[in-house]
């Protein structure tokens, strides 16, 4: 299990690694035309993982539950730590399920170790998998979820106990406590970078994968609006960021891509 978790951490620490068309890489495109430069050898493992996750979603939906998807920054780029971000993701999943009621809602957490790929899978490989999950099984590409929750600063603040009073000092202390129990973390990120990341940047706004997920959700919602002119707006996926529903105008605004893009020839 630890090895699988490490595989995700390594992969998402290099989100642009799939940009080059090295031998063994292929441009893989989704139903809605979102493409990634992926490893050929992962084609079958990703296909199998997609089938497993779709079965999991179907099982939860058969119980009458609304199905949510969690978008979380996992990479350690910029001062973050994968173990911390994965823990925040788990806490956010539990909180959202408790908010709506675990009898009626289930949230898919992509940071869960059971969804890991091989150790050298990169961000594009993972996003190729999650794009297929988000778009759903049918040829229409209208999505498999009822809502998506994008993790924001409040989720991280709750984890660290930040209350608006000397929060950066609290993060200094959190770093010191982490290093005491896991001294190897000091080699991955220094205290200043850790403090600044979790103090002023920690959210999906600074995540390559989450940028892709935002664009995927926006595309799905646009197709839902177009597919049903009478009730199109009402058929969109709900979108939450930082504990609150996203304002209507933002639902239709694209952002810069993260891992998405065809393989480059040179």
């Amino acid at each position: 299990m630890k090895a699988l978790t490490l595989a995700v951490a390594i992969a998402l620490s290099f989100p642009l690694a799939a940009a080059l068309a090295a031998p063994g890489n292929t441009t893989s495109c989704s139903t809605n035309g979102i493409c990634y430069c992926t490893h050929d050898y992962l084609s079958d493992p990703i296909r199998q993982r997609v089938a497993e996750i779709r079965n999991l979603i179907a099982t939860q939906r058969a119980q009458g539950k609304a199905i949510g998807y969690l978008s979380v920054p996992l990479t350690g780029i910029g001062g973050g730590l994968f173990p911390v971000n994965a823990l925040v993701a788990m806490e956010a999943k539990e909180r959202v399920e408790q908010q709506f009621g675990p009898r009626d809602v289930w949230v898919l957490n992509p940071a869960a170790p059971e969804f890991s790929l091989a150790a050298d899978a990169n961000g594009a490989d993972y996003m190729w998998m999650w794009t297929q999950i988000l778009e759903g099984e049918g040829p229409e590409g209208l999505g498999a979820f009822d809502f998506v929750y994008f993790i924001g600063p409040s989720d991280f603040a709750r984890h660290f106990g930040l209350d608006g009073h000397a929060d950066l000092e609290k993060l200094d202390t959190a770093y010191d406590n982490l290093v005491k129990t896991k001294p190897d973390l000091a080699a991955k990120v220094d205290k200043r970078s850790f403090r600044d990341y979790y103090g002023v940047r920690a959210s999906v706004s600074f995540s390559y994968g989450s940028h892709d997920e935002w664009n995927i959700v926006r595309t799905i919602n646009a197709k839902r609006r177009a597919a049903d002119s009478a009730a199109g707006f009402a058929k969109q996926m709900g979108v939450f960021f930082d504990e609150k529903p996203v304002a209507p105008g933002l639902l239709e605004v694209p952002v810069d891509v993260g891992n998405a893009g065809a393989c480059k020839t040179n």
Side-chain angles (χ1 to χ4, degrees):
M1 191 67 72
K2 290 182 179 179
L4 291 176
T5 301
L6 180 60
V8 180
I10 294 173
L12 296 182
S13 293
F14 300 95
L16 298 181
L20 299 178
N25 286 355
T26 298
T27 296
S28 301
C29 297
S30 72
T31 298
N32 290 338
I34 300 174
C35 301
Y36 302 92
C37 187
T38 62
H39 286 102
D40 289 342
Y41 87 96
L42 284 173
S43 177
D44 287 340
I46 290 176
R47 187 179 298 111
Q48 178 179 349
R49 185 74 80 223
V50 167
E52 293 170 353
I53 297 170
R54 284 174 172 168
N55 287 335
L56 181 60
I57 293 171
T59 298
Q60 295 295 327
R61 192 174 292 283
Q63 299 175 31
K65 296 181 180 180
I67 309 299
Y69 180 91
L70 187 72
S71 180
V72 55
L74 290 174
T75 175
I77 291 177
L81 286 171
F82 173 81
V84 173
N85 295 354
L87 183 56
V88 171
M90 182 183 69
E91 293 169 350
K93 167 183 165 67
E94 293 175 352
R95 185 186 62 76
V96 173
E97 290 178 343
Q98 288 299 320
Q99 175 185 346
F100 293 110
R103 185 193 68 178
D104 298 309
V105 164
W106 179 77
V107 176
L108 191 158
N109 173 17
E114 58 265 31
F115 302 138
S116 294
L117 297 173
D120 61 344
N122 57 35
D125 295 316
Y126 275 96
M127 283 312 306
W128 169 231
M129 178 174 74
W130 291 121
T131 299
Q132 294 176 80
I133 296 299
L134 281 162
E135 290 184 351
E137 295 188 58
E140 300 85 3
L142 295 176
F145 295 88
D146 299 295
F147 69 95
V148 177
Y149 183 93
F150 289 88
I151 283 184
S154 297
D155 298 289
F156 285 95
R158 178 181 286 102
H159 172 77
F160 286 109
L162 308 183
D163 57 8
H165 299 281
D167 286 341
L168 295 187
E169 292 182 19
K170 293 183 179 70
L171 290 169
D172 281 338
T173 301
Y175 179 89
D176 292 338
N177 291 335
L178 275 172
V179 171
K180 287 177 184 177
T181 58
K182 298 180 179 180
D184 59 308
L185 295 181
K188 298 178 180 179
V189 60
D190 61 80
K191 183 189 291 188
R192 173 67 184 272
S193 298
F194 176 93
R195 183 196 71 189
D196 290 352
Y197 176 81
Y198 288 109
V200 301
R201 288 194 300 275
S203 81
V204 295
S205 299
F206 300 89
S207 164
Y208 285 97
S210 294
H211 272 65
D212 288 329
E213 288 164 343
W214 179 273
N215 287 330
I216 294 164
V217 171
R218 186 195 67 83
T219 300
I220 292 171
N221 275 340
K223 294 189 76 171
R224 289 189 179 189
R225 294 193 302 272
D228 186 342
S229 58
F233 289 107
K235 295 295 182 67
Q236 295 181 115
M237 282 186 286
V239 180
F240 295 81
F241 168 67
D242 200 31
E243 304 183 3
K244 298 178 179 64
V246 171
L250 295 179
L251 290 176
E252 303 173 22
V253 178
V255 296
D256 282 347
V257 300
N259 298 288
C263 294
K264 298 178 181 178
T265 57
N266 52 49

